[in-house]
């Protein structure tokens, strides 16, 4: 498979540049790999978790968003790879476009893989543990694939470490963008 092929679906689904989202391409971060969690008020509100891997952002839609409670399993639906440039994207995807609605960068930072395998390999195997160093989230998260093919789903679970917080709920206590400080509602109004 040609290197750029993993972004084919991303481009095919969108009416670029009309959707106002970045076209992007394969590239790598110069320092540590990055992660981003975008809050996306589309037809249904969800959080898009994206991990840099293989020159793109591997992506999952997490309906309830990440939890800091190791006892909480959060469903994560795999979605198409996104270009690395998407990590800084905040804005309003116009009506009629794929994923129409407002996007903010809810959290972002760098991550590293826990264990010996590179992230690509771990994801291929269906189990990856990553340490997130975000502005809001810190610590280990496990991503585990359940089901295959059309039934592919993943579970996102906080690991039990210093970043765990069984009472906290950052999704509701810190709704604003980690980049601009704006909420989904503020950004939607300003657009
Ligand atoms: Mn989304």
């Amino acid at each position: 498979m040609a290197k750029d092929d993993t972004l084919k679906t991303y481009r095919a689904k969108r009416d670029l540049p009309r959707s106002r989202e970045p076209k992007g391409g394969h590239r790598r971060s110069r320092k540590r790999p990055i992660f981003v969690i975008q809050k996306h008020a589309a037809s249904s509100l969800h959080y898009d978790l994206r991990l840099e891997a293989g020159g793109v952002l591997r992506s999952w839609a997490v309906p309830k968003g990440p939890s800091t409670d190791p006892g909480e399993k959060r469903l994560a639906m795999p979605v198409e790879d996104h270009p690395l440039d998407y990590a800084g994207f905040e804005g309003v995807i116009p009506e009629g476009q794929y994923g129409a609605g407002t996007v903010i960068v809810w959290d972002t930072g760098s991550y590293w893989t826990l264990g010996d395998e590179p992230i690509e390999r771990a994801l291929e195997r269906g189990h990856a543990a990553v340490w997130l160093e975000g502005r809001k989230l810190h610590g280990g998260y496990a991503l585990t694939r359940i089901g295959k093919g059309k039934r592919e789903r993943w579970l996102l679970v906080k690991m039990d470490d210093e970043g765990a917080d069984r009472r906290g709920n950052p999704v509701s206590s810190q709704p604003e963008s980690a980049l601009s400080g704006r909420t989904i509602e503020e950004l939607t109004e300003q657009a």
Side-chain angles (χ1 to χ4, degrees), residues 28-87:
R28 278 174 201 281
S29 295
R30 266 183 278 161
K31 294 177 185 167
R32 277 213 296 266
I34 58 163
F35 83 94
V36 63
I37 299 173
Q38 278 153 321
K39 185 178 181 182
H40 185 185
S43 49
S44 59
L45 181 74
H46 61 273
Y47 293 77
D48 290 300
L49 166 67
R50 311 190 197 281
L51 297 176
E52 179 179 355
V56 296
L57 295 170
R58 293 287 300 271
S59 301
W60 296 260
V62 184
K64 290 186 176 176
S67 175
T68 52
D69 180 352
E72 281 275 320
K73 293 184 175 75
R74 293 288 158 92
L75 187 67
M77 307 293 294
V79 295
E80 75 274 17
D81 294 347
H82 279 51
L84 218 59
D85 287 342
Y86 208 91

Side-chain angles (χ1 to χ4, degrees), residues 17 25 31 42 67 77 83 107 111 114 152 169-170 176:
K31 294 177 185 167
S67 175
M77 307 293 294
D107 197 16
Y111 81 90
L114 301 171
E152 182 182 338
N169 183 0
E176 76 288 347

Side-chain angles (χ1 to χ4, degrees), residues 88-110:
F89 176 72
E90 290 196 328
V92 180
I93 302 169
E95 210 54 52
Q97 300 288 325
Y98 175 72
T102 305
V103 177
I104 59 168
V105 174
W106 182 77
D107 197 16
T108 188
S110 58

